[in-house]
Amino acid sequence: MKYLKNERGGKPLIITVVILCVFFLISGVATVYFTMKDRNLKFSEEVVAEATKVAEAELAKVFAVTEKYPFEKRFEAIQSIGYREPKEGEYAVFTFEKEYDEDDEFYVILKMRPHKTEKNLSIINVAVFDKKSGSRIIEKNNVLKWETSENE
């Protein structure tokens, strides 16, 4: 009670504010550092070429399932080629992560969003990441045309 009436008792508040300012300053510097570190990461031509092959192979698998599945079953189609259940993001962007083995050097994220004008089209984005650093190596985009169901 005596501290509540003490008009000169601002020391704990000042100490708390200084600690919070130092914490925010350190976290800001760390964020900038790790962002710049990821941008400056360069991969060898062999790694980029191999990652490109992986991305193109994944796109080929996705194109193959579009011939077998209608638009309404597009999530099942993507899961049939080894991707996990989608996570719905902003603006109906669905994110799938490839299930991979421990000895794989890459991991793949596939994002699918609806086309703005056509119902049976989806815009697909395949990104290949380095497993060790978590940095994106390559990204490929394309448009998928799904089969339409018979009742349309």
Side-chain angles (χ1 to χ4, degrees), residues 8-134:
R8 296 181 301 146
K11 263 189 184 176
L13 178 64
I14 292 172
I15 291 171
T16 304
V17 168
V18 168
I19 290 172
L20 285 175
C21 288
V22 168
F23 173 73
F24 286 132
L25 182 64
I26 291 172
S27 64
V29 168
T31 302
V32 169
Y33 170 75
F34 287 114
T35 302
M36 297 305 280
K37 179 182 167 192
D38 286 345
R39 285 187 184 163
N40 293 333
L41 192 60
K42 301 291 181 201
F43 295 99
S44 67
E45 290 181 22
E46 294 84 18
V47 171
V48 172
E50 192 172 337
T52 303
K53 287 179 187 175
V54 169
E56 289 171 352
E58 292 301 320
L59 279 175
K61 289 178 191 175
V62 172
F63 277 108
V65 296
T66 59
E67 298 171 356
K68 300 175 189 171
Y69 289 86
F71 178 77
E72 293 77 21
K73 295 188 178 192
R74 63 192 179 277
F75 302 125
E76 296 167 21
I78 300 298
Q79 291 173 10
S80 73
I81 57 173
Y83 286 90
R84 295 187 181 126
E85 183 108 8
K87 297 175 186 172
E88 186 172 356
E90 294 181 32
Y91 310 110
V93 174
F94 294 92
T95 302
F96 300 84
E97 184 176 347
K98 181 78 173 183
E99 295 183 14
Y100 49 85
D101 298 326
E102 292 297 320
D103 56 339
D104 290 341
E105 57 184 300
F106 305 115
Y107 67 92
V108 180
I109 302 249
L110 182 141
K111 291 189 179 191
M112 182 171 53
R113 62 185 158 102
H115 194 269
K116 291 181 180 176
T117 58
E118 298 294 323
K119 183 184 178 221
N120 66 331
L121 296 180
S122 296
I123 298 170
I124 198 90
N125 179 339
V126 175
V128 179
F129 294 85
D130 182 46
K131 212 176 189 184
K132 293 176 187 167
S133 67

